[in-house]
Amino acid sequence: MPVAIITGASKGLGRALAEALAARGWDLVLDARTPEVLEETASALRDAHGTRVTAVPGDVTDAGHRAALVAAAWRLGGVDLLVSNASALGAEPLLRLDALPPAGLRQALEVNVVAALGLVQEALPLLRAAGTGAVITVSSDAAAEAYETWGGYGASKAALDHLAAVLGEEEPGLRVWAVDPGDMATDLYAAAVPDDDGPRPAPASVVPAFLRLLDERPASGRYGAPALLEGRR
């Protein structure tokens, strides 16, 4: 069975994607910082789908934790897909740039960019060996559009997009997709903008866009989930 590593997988989009892959028979290595919530997710997937699901709680900024994620995948047979979904805002709620603490920006860059690259580097030998290895980095419309208070987070996601684009050039044997999932009702969005209680789509509603990438394997590049769901690229 193919094996996927998904970071930030205990809730939200990460969990929804894990559920969809488990339903297709994928074996999974799941990451999140809260052990109890992560194990509850992993246990639910094992019970529902019978696939092998390994929960590895920890912080993606820790190089030892990243190595543990890849080692767990190796024990399941390798790495066919790496999904960098774990994200940090840098400030909760979000702040204008004139008030954004440099430490907050560093945290966003460390989680969203440095850790994502470190995990790719750790997993590259197994991704290359898979033959059809793929990397998905979860982006944001804030990476391409200027929204007030989203500057630090958006800058980190723009940097992640560029890393993904270059990785796609440097690793032609892989597929490297940066995916903007669009608006979703997630804990991250609630923390970013706590006063916005307007209705938003559930994370599971955009998962078919990610599955389309895996099914059709288009060229490496940046894709928007809404367009993929509408049948466009």
Side-chain angles (χ1 to χ4, degrees):
M1 288 299 170
V3 179
I5 297 174
I6 305 175
T7 66
S10 63
K11 295 185 287 186
L13 176 61
R15 175 168 178 157
L17 183 56
E19 289 175 343
L21 292 179
R24 290 182 165 207
W26 284 63
D27 294 324
L28 302 171
V29 175
L30 304 183
D31 151 275
R33 288 180 297 172
T34 307
E36 297 80 8
V37 180
L38 180 63
E39 183 51 43
E40 185 279 326
T41 295
S43 179
L45 295 179
R46 291 186 204 105
D47 293 346
H49 304 291
T51 56
R52 296 180 295 172
V53 183
T54 303
V56 184
D59 190 327
V60 291
T61 64
D62 178 351
H65 174 61
R66 296 195 296 267
L69 290 169
V70 175
W74 177 79
R75 288 191 290 272
L76 294 178
V79 181
D80 299 273
L81 171 65
L82 170 60
V83 182
S84 284
N85 174 60
S87 297
L89 290 166
E92 299 179 11
L94 293 175
L95 298 170
R96 289 167 50 92
L97 289 177
D98 61 8
L100 179 64
L105 177 59
R106 289 192 192 97
Q107 182 200 27
L109 292 169
E110 190 70 28
V111 174
N112 302 347
V113 183
V114 179
L117 176 60
L119 187 54
V120 164
Q121 291 172 332
E122 190 76 33
L124 263 179
L126 294 180
L127 285 164
R128 290 166 177 157
T132 57
V135 175
I136 293 177
T137 59
V138 177
S139 185
S140 166
D141 55 350
E145 302 291 338
Y147 302 123
E148 186 176 356
T149 75
W150 288 83
Y153 177 78
S156 71
K157 288 295 186 179
L160 180 62
D161 280 0
H162 195 72
L163 284 184
V166 172
L167 182 66
E169 293 295 323
E170 294 178 344
E171 297 289 340
L174 304 181
R175 289 291 186 270
V176 184
W177 303 303
V179 181
D180 171 10
D183 283 347
M184 296 181 296
T186 63
D187 288 355
L188 184 136
Y189 184 83
V193 194
D195 295 333
D196 184 356
D197 57 359
R200 296 182 180 281
S205 68
V206 303
V207 166
F210 290 78
L211 298 181
R212 183 179 178 200
L213 290 173
L214 295 173
D215 290 341
E216 300 183 7
R217 296 184 62 81
S220 297
R222 190 178 194 276
Y223 292 80
L228 288 168
L229 292 172
E230 293 172 2
R232 297 183 285 115
R233 291 182 182 170

